[in-house]
Amino acid sequence: MSSADGTAGSSPGRVSGESAPYPLHGSVGDFGRDTGAGVADEAIGYRGPTACAAAGITYRQLDYWARTGLVEPSVRPAYGSGTQRLYSFRDVVVLKIVKRFLDTGVALQNIRAAVQHLRARGFRDLERMTLMSDGATVYECSSPDEVVSLLQGGQGVFGIAVGVVWRDVEAALSQLHGERVDTGETLVGHNPQDELARRRRDRAV
């Protein structure tokens, strides 16, 4: 059950703690380019407390994961006291996935391998992806047939539909504050139409 090509088929791919046998489909920079405007816009960053609220983790966890390189903020790292980390939408999705893996007892080294794999995937790949684990190994399933195959093999114990996590994070962040990377402007609700309406109101005063 350890297909190394990472493509859809009868056997799911595997992310082990020792190696990640997947070819890297794209790069980190490609992740949000097709998302358009909104909370997933790569021009918007999220501060630590906002990322914590959307991912359901504590700030202590966030800080530890950043310092140990498990999930680092891709928009802006902390450069010392006075600077605020900024996380991308994708980072927050990964934070929430890590939290779910930890809650179910997956080993940290296997989570690290899974995170590296997630960072290499494109936006459309992630939406369709299901991650499953037997507690020791994380498997990627990109088709229903792969999920069924893994379950029939008795290896799958639980699964994470990344698309569902994506939508959960999107809904949570839509109610929270973000920050435009280029201007530093704080956005409330992250809806470009709301921002435009606010600017029109400001001009009318």
Side-chain angles (χ1 to χ4, degrees):
M1 309 297 290
S2 57
S3 172
D5 61 9
T7 59
S10 60
S11 298
R14 181 175 67 180
V15 178
S16 71
E18 298 175 354
S19 64
Y22 298 89
L24 300 184
H25 301 286
S27 64
V28 171
D30 294 328
F31 187 93
R33 295 191 186 281
D34 298 321
T35 63
V39 297
D41 191 331
E42 61 184 8
I44 299 175
Y46 303 95
R47 294 193 176 192
T50 300
C52 289
I57 62 175
T58 66
Y59 193 85
R60 184 175 181 179
Q61 287 176 306
L62 183 83
D63 183 61
Y64 178 73
W65 296 349
R67 287 188 290 106
T68 58
L70 178 60
V71 184
E72 298 177 280
S74 63
V75 177
R76 185 175 68 208
Y79 292 108
S81 60
T83 61
Q84 291 280 346
R85 296 186 184 105
L86 276 185
Y87 290 81
S88 69
F89 175 82
R90 179 212 53 223
D91 296 335
V92 182
V93 172
V94 174
L95 287 169
K96 193 173 183 72
I97 290 172
V98 169
K99 171 66 161 53
R100 292 193 177 184
F101 277 140
L102 287 174
D103 288 347
T104 51
V106 177
L108 187 59
Q109 69 173 15
N110 293 332
I111 295 176
R112 285 187 183 277
V115 167
Q116 290 172 2
H117 181 60
L118 286 173
R119 286 187 176 277
R121 301 295 286 196
F123 170 72
R124 293 186 178 89
D125 289 331
L126 281 176
E127 269 203 316
R128 295 191 301 266
M129 188 187 300
T130 297
L131 298 175
M132 301 189 75
S133 178
D134 56 6
T137 304
V138 178
Y139 299 86
E140 175 199 335
C141 300
S142 55
S143 75
D145 288 343
E146 290 179 343
V147 175
V148 171
S149 177
L150 188 59
L151 290 172
Q152 288 177 340
Q155 299 182 60
V157 176
F158 71 94
I160 299 174
V162 179
V164 173
V165 176
W166 185 283
R167 289 188 290 275
D168 287 348
V169 170
E170 196 168 37
L173 288 177
S174 69
Q175 306 299 318
L176 299 169
H177 291 190
E179 182 177 314
R180 288 201 64 86
V181 177
D182 52 353
T183 65
E185 179 184 7
T186 298
L187 304 178
V188 180
H190 314 312
N191 187 321
Q193 293 180 345
D194 291 344
E195 183 186 6
L196 180 61
R198 180 185 59 77
R199 288 177 176 176
R200 286 173 176 167
R201 289 195 301 269
D202 290 346
R203 286 198 298 267
V205 173

